[in-house]
Amino acid sequence: MKKSSVFSFLGIDDLSSDNIDFILKTSALFKKEFYEKGSIIHCINPEQTKGLVVQLLFAEPSTRTRASFEVACGRLGIAITSLWNLHFSSMAKGETLEDTFQCLIALRPDMIVLRCGGFKSAESFLRSSPVPVVNAGLGTMEHPTQALVDAFTIQEKRGKIEGEKVLIVGDVLHSRVANSNLKLLTRLGAKLGMCTPEALSPADKQAWKDVERFDSLETGIKWADVIMCLRVQRERHSLRNIGFSMAEYRDNYRIAQEEMDLFRKDGVLLHPGPAMRGVEISNQAVDDPRCHIITQVENGSYIRSAIVSLMLNLEIKSP
Ligand code: CP
């Protein structure tokens, strides 16, 4: 499998087509080998990962992304150090995120995986890091590793990505997942649609100009092969008045049984998580066989092992 080196991975545009191909194919290999042999360590030369250390810095809550990076590195024999309970870091004593980051750089890990709410000049600050950085969710900017999980899951469940009609539903305005999926899925040949309240529609109209807008969820669902629900990011709404209640959101944008009845029988329902049951998605929709939320979580570990392999330039052996 071809790969070319990537220094920091802050957004989808940092990846070449060969890099994307490498990540998707390596993830498929890792998943197959893990199912057959219960491990993936034989897919690499373990001498290559001996002594490597990946530092996680999570300044915003996470379950899936953090745990899957930990599993992904562990399966490759890479040590993890993790800073996430910031009440027990020196940030609780007033140190800034930027200074915290500089302290971690000074320890020279082989890579830093960062989640944070974003900050002024984040991109130029992170690009100047002498240690490679992976974006594990940065403000409302991008969440590129999640988009790779989503693309991999679509490919696995629908057999292809090219030509697939993907309907993004909900809080596009605040969604770093949506921004990365727009870039990645478009590059891979999918057609994107969106169904979103006006108040939560994308700020960057130019970037989203080719995405078909559906005013009714019903019309969008009848069009779609894949539905991607987004989390309503209430923690970011506190900064502005969005002009409607969660009850109104639920009545117009929730995927429930009625919506699943309109959806194609071989369709794929995704949600990056964490899902707010009852607001974005009903219990019945979560239990529907077309809903692959847990597969997305599972695929997160294979995708992140592949990303770590790319970033640390590991040779992959295909048994
Ligand atoms: N999808 C996602 O980023 O989930 P977590 O916040 O649990 O990591």
Side-chain angles (χ1 to χ4, degrees), residues 61-65 115 143 146 272-274:
S62 168
T63 296
R64 293 150 195 76
T65 313
R115 166 167 295 190
H143 191 351
Q146 178 66 45

Side-chain angles (χ1 to χ4, degrees), residues 59-80:
E60 276 195 339
S62 168
T63 296
R64 293 150 195 76
T65 313
R66 185 164 67 84
S68 63
F69 266 110
E70 290 179 355
V71 168
C73 289
R75 285 189 182 146
L76 294 169
I78 298 168
I80 284 276

